[in-house]
């Protein structure tokens, strides 16, 4: 797979993952414009990227999703759960396609049909009328319209633009950011269904204008006319929310085409042009007001000019529209104003001029996109008089400069714009003194006209010399561009093009090798500040750190041997000193690598809103998930291992603990249950809580159940306090679930949750208040990578004990260990501490009892205990690995670790160990 | 060799444009949005900016306006490369001070022809 | 009766329902020079509107409701001039 496709897949997945979370948020707050925008941008980006590959089904689907979002943004559509379901389905499908792309390098066979169906369903959300895309504007080449129906292709239909000026003015005035045009063509037989389409049309919300016309000529002979066959067509302009209008016409289905658009597009002057010099002056006056951003002055001047010049005609109509638009909010309105002022100066709308070949709009030629087929090599016009000839690209660029300079702009960008146009023109057309001069004059006179004229002259001159060639270039412009082969040798500024520099559009990556000369410029290359590193490389780095830790741990052995075996005391001291240095550096290295491995919890959290939403719908209980602190970070392994237990906890909360809505209501709670997922990061651990406001847990019930199931004995039934009783839910084989549902399965044991959490070195506790809710609290280490263990000896073997469990090491006279019934205990700091003998727990041979016993005092699950060992050894840093194979069944071991001298150390799982009698 | 800034929030598009531009022997710097572009651009010489329109934080129109209104980057050629192609977009680009307008996805040869015309080609 | 068919003028008043279309059409066929008085018309059913548009009788009095007149008169086209 090539790199570009790989990148596309990675970027799309990232966007999709974020998007599905956002869709759920959107369902909750459908009016949040920022959310809609973000989602729109995500779809827009995927769509744009997908255009680089041959994946029409995918492109079509995200495009449809994008259109839905545009409708939401415009207020034409309010998202409900069904809509979100569909959008999420679409996201799932796109994900599946990405998997296919990654696996096979292309989409599967059914993709087109699936894409078609999904896009159809998405578009159906937009209502029947929307299916008919707005007509492309006349001045746009067909290829462009096809290649890029932009998201905001929200243009009024042609008929709306052609309406009488007063009607359009009324709509402009009455409408806010959106006006709606409806073309309603009722069914011929609608009268028999009892419909009165005229009534429907007249009662449309915000009706500004209504037009009725026959959709076929009336019969010459009145006798032939059938009054009960409806042959009318209604056209409406409404100043109302598109959503309201669509709702009004919802029963009309496809008979009503509803277009929402920005009313500023209605500002099109009409009438006969008057001509004359004075309009340019008026325009100049207006241009200044426009540049100054003074809406009042602009309106006042337009109205004054209208009064002075008065009358009918195209130019006065221009002024009327300018006066109406002045002061209107929005980028579109400002652009329209600029266009109208420019139109007044030129005596025509800029778009209209572009029908003449010499003034073909630049850029259109390149609209086709990689997928478009077209003649590839339109030849540029070769100059035959020795001057540099202009190829098609050069001509387009020059035309762009002209068009840019003609477009009015804010005063502060004027100088910069002229300077940039000068730079482009001189690069493209070569050093032509007359061109440079024209630009200098334009700058001096603060009027772009000389520069515009110079460009026109250049284009006209070239065009006149080679009209045929230009026609070819223009013809090619629909889909392709006269490009690669276009620069003749005489064109000084353009070196000959690199051969075969074009990547295959469907295959993706531009396969061109780096051009020569690039390597030598290394020093100039800008610094890259962030790197995306493959996880495998980080894991490899971590393994190396682990090996370094092990190697470092070998140094104390070496020092001991130097001293004990070789009697080299001094050498031993030096080795120890070096060990201290290496130890420090290794620790810093570890910390640094671990920092790299930290990822935010949002990686796991972001899938939960969807989970809870699905559960909520499946269980028929309204449940809200509140997520907090998802920005907290932890080691990648911890975060990944967290997913499964959290899924269980959330399921349990939704399924078992949140009551059905009626029950909640009866208890005086809101019908909607709340489940809260909260993370808080601390120095070396992160706390994650899953809490709910459900029915809570009754310690008495749990105690009894635990007893019935044999989890606890009679004695504990009496002695366990409430909090301790609650923890019984984590015991193997315990489940409070009263019924089995498809959500939690066989009441997936909380014991499994605890086991998973403990596997990464975490702990879990539950707290509950009957009737008010339950909180399950997970405390997890930030990292599982490196742990510190203390080596102890028992029965001639070495074992590791995690240092976090160790409280202290003490030696007590053997006589101080008392026997209480069948157990041993010792009094430490005035507390009676149970004593366990490690040999016995592990079934090892016990040596002679010394006079003084070595006690390792540990604390597990809040309980203190003392372990009798033969000897204490040093503490070491180890990379702990889980037990594999048959050993994995021995739960008394937490894992193994490689020691510096090559031995394998078994690390004890104190919790399991001390549970043994 | 020319220095060319590619501003687009889509990594895939940046990569695509980068490869096409680098194939002509030019040096490329990437930015995700207008703000990042300005931060990276100041203090260096540039031959061309390829700028997307719809971007978070600072969109393409604003970036170009900032460039034109400022001192350092005012004369640097800018080619807009956008998915939008609705009428009015071009006018907005012109008003902001963009020198050319291309519609995504751009054919490789089209992009290279434009880059070659404005920034030349290195090593040839 | 919302549609009163006289000798030279048909007067449409209030809400003219779909059933009025047929008699009005018949009347207009019989009286090719007949006029319509719309002064007190509130709403014609679409079928009635179609009849008016197809046969284009001169309007002797336009609707007093300006909102109705605003779109109805242009729809009736030629009828406007005479109805004034």
């Amino acid at each position: 797979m090539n790199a570009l496709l790989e990148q596309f897949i990675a970027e799309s997945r990232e966007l999709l993952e974020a998007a599905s979370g956002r869709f759920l948020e959107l369902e909750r707050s459908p009016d949040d414009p920022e959310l809609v925008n973000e989602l729109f941008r995500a779809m827009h980006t995927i769509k744009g990227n997908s255009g680089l590959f041959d994946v029409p089904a995918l492109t079509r689907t995200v495009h449809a999703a994008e259109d839905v979002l545009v409708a939401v943004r415009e207020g034409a559509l309010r998202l409900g759960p069904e809509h979100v379901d569909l959008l999420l389905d679409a996201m799932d499908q796109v994900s599946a396609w990405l998997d296919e792309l990654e696996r096979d390098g292309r989409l599967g066979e059914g993709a087109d049909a699936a894409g078609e169906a999904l896009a159809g369903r998405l578009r159906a959300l937009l209502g029947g009328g929307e299916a008919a895309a707005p007509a492309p504007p006349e001045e746009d080449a067909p290829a462009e319209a096809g290649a890029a129906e932009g998201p905001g292709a929200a243009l009024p239909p042609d008929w709306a633009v052609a309406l009488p000026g007063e009607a359009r003015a009324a709509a402009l005035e009455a409408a806010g950011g959106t006006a709606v045009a409806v073309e309603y063509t009722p069914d011929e037989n609608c009268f028999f269904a009892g419909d009165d389409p005229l009534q429907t049309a007249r009662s449309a919300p915000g009706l500004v204008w209504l037009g009725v016309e026959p959709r076929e000529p009336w019969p010459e002979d009145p006798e032939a006319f059938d009054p009960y066959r409806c042959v009318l067509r209604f056209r409406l302009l409404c100043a109302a929310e598109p959503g309201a209008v669509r709702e009004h016409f919802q029963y009309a289905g496809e008979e009503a085409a509803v277009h929402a658009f920005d009313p500023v597009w209605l500002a099109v002057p009409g009438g006969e042009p008057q001509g004359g010099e004075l309009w340019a002056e008026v325009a100049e006056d207006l241009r200044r007001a426009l540049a100054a951003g003074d809406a009042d002055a602009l309106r006042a001047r337009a109205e004054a000019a209208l009064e002075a010049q008065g009358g009918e005609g195209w130019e006065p109509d221009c002024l009327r529209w300018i006066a109406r638009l002045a002061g209107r909010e929005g980028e579109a309105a400002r652009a329209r104003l600029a266009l109208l002022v420019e139109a007044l100066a030129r005596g025509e709308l800029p778009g209209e001029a572009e029908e003449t070949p010499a003034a073909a709009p630049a850029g259109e030629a390149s609209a086709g996109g990689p997928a478009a087929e077209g003649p590839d090599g339109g030849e540029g016009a070769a100059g035959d008089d020795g001057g540099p000839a202009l190829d098609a690209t050069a001509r387009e660029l020059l035309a762009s400069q002209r068009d840019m300079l003609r477009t009015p702009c804010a005063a502060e960008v004027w100088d910069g714009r002229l300077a940039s146009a000068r730079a482009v023109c001189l690069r493209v057309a070569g050093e032509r003194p007359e061109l440079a001069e024209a630009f200098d004059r334009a700058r001096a006179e603060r009027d772009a006209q000389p520069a515009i004229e110079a460009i026109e002259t250049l284009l006209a001159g070239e065009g006149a010399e080679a009209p045929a060639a230009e026609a070819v270039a223009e013809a090619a412009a629909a889909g392709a561009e006269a490009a690669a082969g276009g620069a003749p040798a005489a064109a000084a500024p353009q070196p000959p093009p690199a051969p075969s520099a074009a990547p295959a559009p469907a295959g993706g990556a531009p396969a061109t090798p780096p051009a020569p000369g690039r390597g030598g410029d290394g020093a100039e290359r800008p610094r890259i500040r962030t790197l995306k590193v493959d996880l495998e490389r980080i894991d490899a780095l971590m393994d190396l750190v682990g090996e370094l830790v092990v190697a470092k741990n070998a140094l104390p052995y070496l020092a001991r041997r130097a001293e004990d075996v070789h009697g080299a005391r001094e050498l031993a001291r030096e080795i120890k000193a070096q060990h201290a240095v290496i130890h420090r550096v290794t620790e810093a290295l570890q910390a640094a690598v671990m920092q790299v491995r930290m990822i935010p919890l949002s990686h796991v959290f972001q899938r939960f809103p969807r989970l809870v939403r699905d559960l909520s719908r499946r269980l028929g209980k309204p449940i809200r998930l509140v997520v907090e602190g998802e920005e907290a970070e932890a080691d990648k392994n911890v975060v990944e291992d967290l997913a499964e237990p959290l899924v269980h906890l959330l399921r349990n909360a939704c399924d078992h603990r949140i009551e059905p809505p009626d029950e909640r209501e009866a208890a005086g709670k809101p019908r909607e249950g709340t489940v809260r997922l909260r993370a808080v990061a601390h120095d070396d651990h992160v706390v994650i809580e899953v809490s709910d406001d459900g029915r809570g847990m009754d310690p008495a019930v749990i105690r009894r159940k635990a007893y019935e199931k044999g989890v606890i004995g009679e004695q504990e039934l009496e002695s366990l306090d409430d909090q301790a009783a609650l923890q019984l839910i984590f015991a193997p084989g315990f489940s409070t679930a009263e019924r089995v549902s498809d959500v939690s399965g066989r009441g997936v044991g909380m014991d499994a949750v605890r086991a998973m959490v403990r596997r990464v070195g975490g702990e879990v506790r539950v707290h509950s208040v009957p009737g008010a809710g339950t909180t399950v609290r997970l405390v997890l280490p930030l990292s599982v990578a490196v742990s510190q263990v203390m080596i102890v000896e028992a029965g001639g073997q070495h074992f590791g004990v995690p240092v976090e469990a160790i409280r202290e090491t003490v030696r007590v006279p053997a006589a101080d260990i008392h026997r209480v019934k069948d157990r041993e205990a010792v009094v430490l700091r005035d507390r009676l501490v149970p004593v366990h003998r490690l040999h016995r727990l592990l079934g090892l041979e016990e040596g002679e009892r010394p006079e003084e016993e070595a006690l390792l005092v540990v604390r597990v699950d809040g309980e203190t205990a003392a372990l009798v060992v033969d000897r204490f050894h040093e503490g070491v840093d180890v990379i702990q690995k889980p037990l594999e194979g048959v050993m994995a069944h021995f739960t008394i071991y937490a894992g193994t670790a490689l020691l510096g001298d090559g031995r394998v150390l078994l690390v004890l799982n104190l919790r399991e160990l001390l549970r043994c009698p | 060799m020319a220095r060319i800034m590619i501003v687009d929030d889509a990594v895939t598009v940046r990569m695509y444009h980068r490869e096409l531009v680098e194939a002509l022997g030019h040096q490329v710097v990437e930015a995700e949005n207008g703000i990042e572009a300005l931060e990276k651009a100041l203090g260096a010489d540039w031959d061309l900016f390829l700028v997307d329109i719809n971007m978070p934080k600072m969109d393409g129109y604003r970036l170009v306006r900032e460039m034109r209104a400022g001192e350092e980057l005012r004369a640097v050629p800018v080619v807009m490369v956008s998915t939008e192609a609705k009428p009015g977009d071009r006018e907005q680009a012109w008003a902001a001070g963009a020198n050319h307008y291309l519609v995504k996805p751009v054919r490789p040869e089209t992009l290279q022809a434009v880059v070659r015309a404005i920034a030349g080609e290195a090593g040839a | 009766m919302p549609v009163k068919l006289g000798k030279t003028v048909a007067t449409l008043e209030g809400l003219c329902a779909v059933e009025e279309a047929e008699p009005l059409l018949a009347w207009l066929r019989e009286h090719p020079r007949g006029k319509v008085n719309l002064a007190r018309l509130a709403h014609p059913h679409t079928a009635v509107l179609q009849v008016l548009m197809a046969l284009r009788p001169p309007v002797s009095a336009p609707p007093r409701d300006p909102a109705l007149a605003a779109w109805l008169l242009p729809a009736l086209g030629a009828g406007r001039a005479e109805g004034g």
Side-chain angles (χ1 to χ4, degrees):
Chain A
M1 189 171 43
N2 71 56
L4 191 66
L5 183 58
E6 214 168 287
Q7 177 58 54
F8 166 64
I9 292 170
E11 185 175 22
S12 303
R13 279 196 182 132
E14 225 165 85
L15 289 165
L16 281 178
E17 214 155 283
S20 46
R22 290 281 182 256
F23 273 123
L24 301 181
E25 283 176 47
L26 190 63
E27 190 178 15
R28 245 162 224 299
S29 30
D31 301 318
D32 186 338
E34 207 28 63
L35 271 180
V36 178
N37 233 348
E38 220 175 288
L39 279 166
F40 162 74
R41 198 176 290 125
M43 294 306 116
H44 187 69
T45 301
I46 297 176
K47 182 191 79 176
N49 288 347
S50 71
L52 294 171
F53 310 96
D54 185 23
V55 287
L58 193 155
T59 308
R60 195 172 304 135
T61 303
V62 285
H63 192 162
E66 184 191 18
D67 285 350
V68 170
L69 289 163
V70 169
V72 174
R73 188 166 65 176
E74 284 172 357
L77 181 71
R78 225 184 131 83
L79 284 183
E82 328 78 65
H83 301 138
V84 173
D85 280 344
L86 185 49
L87 283 163
L88 289 172
D89 282 353
M91 297 305 105
D92 288 347
Q93 177 62 69
V94 173
S95 270
W97 280 331
L98 290 173
D99 294 344
E100 278 177 28
L101 261 184
E102 187 172 44
R103 198 179 55 233
D104 311 329
R106 61 189 177 81
L107 296 189
E109 295 211 340
D112 281 342
E116 196 82 47
L118 257 177
R121 286 166 65 203
L122 284 166
R123 290 197 190 279
L125 299 180
L126 300 171
E130 197 65 25
E138 281 165 35
E139 63 263 32
D140 273 64
E144 172 167 334
E149 310 140 37
L155 284 175
D158 291 344
W159 60 263
V161 177
L163 290 177
E166 311 88 73
R168 284 180 284 131
L172 178 66
E173 197 186 340
T178 323
V180 184
V182 184
E183 185 166 67
Y184 176 30
T185 315
D187 187 79
E188 285 186 357
N189 297 316
C190 65
F191 298 159
F192 300 106
D195 286 352
D196 181 2
L198 177 59
Q199 177 59 38
T200 307
R202 289 188 70 190
S203 56
L207 183 68
V208 177
W209 182 87
L210 172 65
V212 193
E213 56 184 32
R215 54 195 197 227
E216 57 189 52
W218 299 113
E220 294 281 323
D221 177 10
E223 299 299 324
F225 171 65
D226 173 4
Y228 293 129
R229 188 171 71 93
C230 181
V231 291
L232 293 182
R233 172 169 53 218
F234 300 86
R235 284 170 166 171
L236 299 81
L237 276 186
C238 299
E241 284 301 308
V245 177
R246 286 205 173 88
E247 197 182 334
H248 182 81
F249 282 100
Q250 62 181 332
Y251 297 112
E254 291 190 1
E255 293 166 9
V258 180
H259 299 273
F261 59 91
D262 191 319
V264 302
W265 295 108
L266 294 174
V268 177
E272 283 302 307
Q274 312 270 294
E277 292 294 305
L278 109 176
W279 298 115
E281 276 170 45
V282 173
E284 190 49 42
D285 200 28
L286 295 175
R287 204 180 272 157
R288 272 192 293 272
L290 186 64
D294 188 343
D296 291 340
L298 186 65
R299 187 186 303 111
R301 282 180 206 185
E303 281 168 354
L306 198 57
E307 204 158 298
Q309 311 305 334
E312 294 296 306
W314 189 85
E315 289 89 350
D317 206 31
C318 248
L319 288 172
R320 271 189 281 271
W321 284 113
I322 291 169
R324 286 173 194 136
L325 279 173
R328 212 179 159 85
E329 293 291 317
E331 203 57 51
R334 280 192 286 279
R336 197 70 190 168
L337 264 176
L339 189 82
L340 286 169
V341 171
E342 186 61 22
L344 187 62
R346 289 164 61 172
E348 60 189 0
L349 273 183
E352 293 163 3
E354 291 170 359
E355 283 158 25
T356 57
E364 267 178 29
S366 19
E373 290 299 328
D376 256 338
E379 288 296 315
D384 53 5
D385 58 355
L390 299 174
D391 68 358
T393 304
R395 300 180 57 79
E396 269 170 26
L397 283 165
L398 288 172
S400 286
Q401 306 320 298
R402 176 202 58 202
D403 290 350
M404 172 179 93
L405 292 175
R406 271 181 183 165
T407 308
C409 69
E412 71 264 21
V413 307
W414 197 88
D415 284 310
R417 218 172 62 150
L418 188 72
S420 72
R422 184 184 202 272
V424 170
C425 287
L426 294 183
R427 285 306 307 247
V428 165
E431 295 294 332
R432 301 183 191 235
E434 72 281 4
L435 195 58
E437 248 165 55
F439 269 99
D440 292 345
R441 209 165 71 236
R443 198 181 57 176
E445 293 170 8
R446 298 205 55 75
D447 180 0
Q449 203 52 39
I452 294 172
E453 279 166 15
I455 298 172
E456 300 246 273
T457 311
L458 197 57
L459 285 170
E462 292 286 338
E465 277 162 31
E470 168 155 57
V472 170
E474 294 294 342
E481 184 198 25
Q494 294 105 340
S500 74
T512 321
R518 207 176 118 203
D521 306 311
E524 258 188 65
R525 288 192 75 86
R527 299 258 166 106
I528 295 170
R529 297 205 167 259
T530 51
L531 285 175
K532 249 189 177 164
V533 183
D534 199 309
L535 259 173
E536 280 175 21
R537 294 193 194 176
I538 294 172
D539 286 342
L541 197 56
M542 198 67 223
D543 284 346
L544 288 174
V545 170
E547 283 178 35
L548 184 60
V549 168
V550 171
K552 176 206 74 179
N553 288 345
L555 289 177
Y557 294 98
L558 190 62
R560 206 177 307 141
R561 269 184 55 192
E563 189 169 348
D564 296 351
V565 181
H566 304 287
R569 258 207 131 126
E570 200 149 320
L571 182 63
R573 254 207 316 276
E574 271 176 41
I575 292 174
K576 278 180 189 160
Q578 282 305 311
H579 174 248
V581 174
I582 296 173
H583 177 74
R584 207 181 58 237
V585 175
T586 312
E587 269 191 344
L589 183 61
Q590 256 175 42
V593 176
M594 267 145 66
Q595 195 59 44
V596 176
R597 289 170 50 97
M598 301 281 264
I599 57 172
L601 292 171
S602 55
H603 275 262
V604 200
F605 282 18
Q606 65 188 0
R607 66 176 90 157
F608 294 144
R610 173 126 190 224
L611 173 83
V612 170
R613 177 178 178 277
D614 289 350
L615 286 173
S616 160
R617 281 167 75 83
R618 199 132 45 96
L619 295 164
K621 300 188 228 175
I623 300 171
R624 191 162 67 106
L625 176 70
V626 179
V627 178
E628 291 167 34
E630 68 266 45
E631 68 284 349
E633 293 188 331
D635 185 272
K636 165 190 158 286
N637 287 351
V638 176
V639 173
E640 281 172 356
D641 288 352
L642 200 54
E644 219 178 318
L646 283 180
V647 168
H648 283 311
L649 291 176
L650 288 169
R651 278 190 178 156
N652 275 323
C654 293
D655 192 11
H656 301 312
R657 295 204 279 277
I658 296 282
E659 315 89 327
D662 290 343
E663 193 181 323
R664 289 179 63 85
E665 202 160 41
K669 294 183 185 181
R671 290 178 66 84
E672 187 184 49
T674 301
V675 174
R676 203 172 286 273
L677 177 59
R678 188 165 160 265
V680 183
H682 296 273
D683 274 351
D684 58 347
H685 65 279
V686 60
V687 176
I688 297 170
E689 285 177 358
V690 178
S691 51
D692 61 73
D693 64 348
R695 53 171 71 100
M697 295 190 294
D698 185 347
V701 174
I702 289 172
R703 238 184 244 117
R704 201 176 55 241
K705 279 219 158 130
Y707 175 66
E708 282 166 9
K709 298 193 174 183
V711 176
I712 51 170
E714 212 160 315
Q715 189 190 347
E716 285 161 301
L717 184 61
E718 304 294 315
S719 67
L720 274 181
D721 65 32
D722 285 355
Q723 281 311 314
L726 287 178
Q727 311 315 317
L728 290 172
I729 63 164
F730 297 114
F734 184 95
S735 169
T736 50
E738 279 165 20
R739 66 200 159 79
V740 170
S741 74
D742 70 325
V743 172
S744 303
R746 34 159 204 92
V748 163
M750 293 291 267
D751 59 324
V753 171
R754 181 165 69 175
M756 283 183 273
V757 171
R758 283 181 174 173
R759 206 178 304 142
V760 294
E763 195 36 73
V764 55
R765 282 185 75 77
V766 62
H767 177 85
S768 184
V769 177
T774 304
T775 298
V776 180
R777 193 163 196 264
L778 279 57
V779 181
L780 296 156
L782 285 186
S783 161
V784 286
V786 175
S787 52
Q788 263 198 315
V789 299
M790 175 180 238
I791 299 179
V792 298
E793 201 179 314
Q797 290 190 33
H798 291 80
F799 298 94
V801 179
V803 293
E804 62 264 21
I806 301 175
R807 284 291 160 272
E808 57 181 329
T809 55
V810 291
R811 291 179 178 279
V812 297
D816 283 3
I817 297 179
H818 308 288
R819 195 163 257 287
V820 185
K821 289 191 193 163
D822 57 339
R823 297 179 184 215
E824 288 183 306
V826 63
V827 177
L828 292 174
R829 302 180 204 286
D830 300 331
R831 287 193 56 185
L832 192 65
V833 176
V835 171
H836 305 268
R837 291 183 185 271
L838 193 55
H839 330 79
R840 226 177 272 173
L841 292 174
L842 297 175
L844 299 170
E845 216 155 285
E846 199 169 353
E848 221 171 283
R849 291 239 174 132
E851 285 176 17
E852 223 179 32
E853 299 276 27
L855 290 186
L856 190 65
V857 183
V858 297
R859 199 169 165 82
V860 179
D861 293 344
E863 303 287 329
T864 304
L867 268 181
V868 178
V869 300
D870 294 345
R871 199 165 298 140
F872 307 120
H873 290 290
E874 68 280 14
V876 288
D877 291 337
V878 294
I879 307 284
Q880 198 174 309
K881 303 234 157 110
L883 290 172
E884 283 163 3
V886 285
M887 288 292 281
H889 299 296
F890 292 94
T891 54
I892 53 169
Y893 298 112
T896 61
L898 191 65
L899 287 182
D901 55 2
R903 279 180 299 158
V904 173
L905 186 72
L906 283 166
V907 180
L908 297 175
N909 180 344
L910 293 178
R911 186 174 291 117
E912 291 296 318
L913 194 66
L914 295 178
R915 203 204 313 226
C916 304
Chain B
M1 187 194 66
R3 279 166 64 86
I4 296 177
M5 174 84 79
I6 295 176
V7 193
D8 199 310
D9 59 333
V11 192
T12 308
V13 170
R14 290 206 303 270
M15 185 167 169
Y16 175 61
H17 290 172
R18 172 191 271 274
E19 293 195 17
L20 290 171
V21 171
E22 284 186 344
L24 297 176
H26 298 310
Q27 182 189 334
V28 170
V29 173
E30 295 180 18
E32 288 185 16
N33 58 57
I35 291 180
E36 197 187 320
L38 288 177
E39 280 170 1
K40 288 183 170 175
L42 293 175
D45 286 333
W46 299 92
D47 297 270
L48 174 64
F49 271 50
L50 299 176
V51 177
D52 179 32
I53 290 181
N54 197 331
M55 293 181 289
K57 290 184 186 157
M58 186 195 275
D59 70 8
Y61 296 132
R62 245 196 77 203
L63 169 62
V64 184
R65 277 200 292 272
E66 298 282 337
M67 289 173 68
R68 297 291 174 246
E71 203 50 50
E72 260 189 78
L73 304 166
R74 59 165 41 184
V76 178
V78 173
V79 173
M80 289 285 190
V81 189
S82 174
T83 326
E84 329 291 331
K86 53 183 194 296
D89 283 341
R90 259 193 199 110
E91 282 77 7
Q92 271 198 70
W94 297 155
N99 300 93
H100 199 46
Y101 194 101
L102 296 175
V103 179
K104 277 186 215 167
V106 188
R107 292 168 57 87
E109 55 273 33
T110 301
L111 187 79
Q112 289 190 326
V114 167
V115 171
R116 204 182 284 126
I118 296 177
E121 180 167 3
Chain C
M1 177 105 184
V3 178
K4 288 177 195 144
L5 303 170
K7 282 189 179 159
T8 54
V9 177
T11 307
L12 280 66
E13 291 182 359
L15 300 171
C16 296
V18 64
E19 307 85 58
E20 318 281 355
E22 195 118 56
L24 178 64
L25 177 64
W27 185 85
L28 286 171
R29 280 172 180 158
E30 278 166 33
H31 302 78
R33 308 182 66 114
K35 296 179 184 179
V36 289
N37 178 335
L38 307 176
R40 299 172 70 180
L41 177 65
H43 176 81
H45 187 276
T46 313
V48 175
L49 172 68
Q50 273 198 144
V51 170
L52 293 175
M53 286 176 72
L55 286 107
R56 293 200 173 199
V59 177
S60 70
R64 284 186 201 152
D65 174 359
L68 180 61
W71 63 264
L72 181 57
L73 294 181
L76 298 183
R80 188 185 195 180
E82 253 183 274

